[in-house]
Amino acid sequence: RDWCEPSQRTIGNLISLLDAALPKDNETHTTLDNLFYEMKSGCKRVKSEDGITTLWEPSVLSRCDGLTPRDSNGIDVSEDFSLTCYEGFRHAATRETRTSIVTTLLLVLEAVEKEDAYGK
C-alpha cells in the first residue's frame, strides 16, 4: 500500500506479487525476497553475465511518500509497514509452509479475479 499508486492496487498485481514469493528453480532467494532486500539495503542484487557473480546496483524503488531506499542507505524494518509484515512472514514459517500459504492465496485470488471478469 505504501509502494504503489492506488491504480496499481489490483487483484492481478497482488497475484503477481504473491507469485514472486514462490521459490523458482532451487534459487536461494525468491523474487519477493529480492524486492524486500532492495527496500532494506537500498541496493538490488543483479547476476553478472557469467551468471555466478552478484553485482550491486542502486535501487530505483520509491515509496509513495517520496522515501527512496538508495538515498537513505536502506530502510529499517521498523520504519516500514510492509517490511515489518514481510519479516514476520519470512521468519514465522518454514519455506514449505510459506509456499503452501502463498499457493492457497493465489488460488483464492485467481478465483476472485475470474468472478470479477465474468461480472459475478
Side-chain angles (χ1 to χ4, degrees), residues 5 7 37 40 60 63 72-73 90-91 104 114-115 117:
E5 299 300 322
S7 64
Y37 177 83
K40 286 173 28 177
V60 296
R63 203 163 64 184
S72 57
N73 293 319
R90 190 170 72 85
H91 291 293
T104 301
K114 283 181 185 173
E115 286 180 14

Side-chain angles (χ1 to χ4, degrees), residues 78-94:
S78 65
E79 298 174 308
D80 187 78
F81 177 75
S82 59
L83 276 172
T84 301
C85 293
Y86 173 74
E87 287 298 315
F89 171 72
R90 190 170 72 85
H91 291 293
T94 65

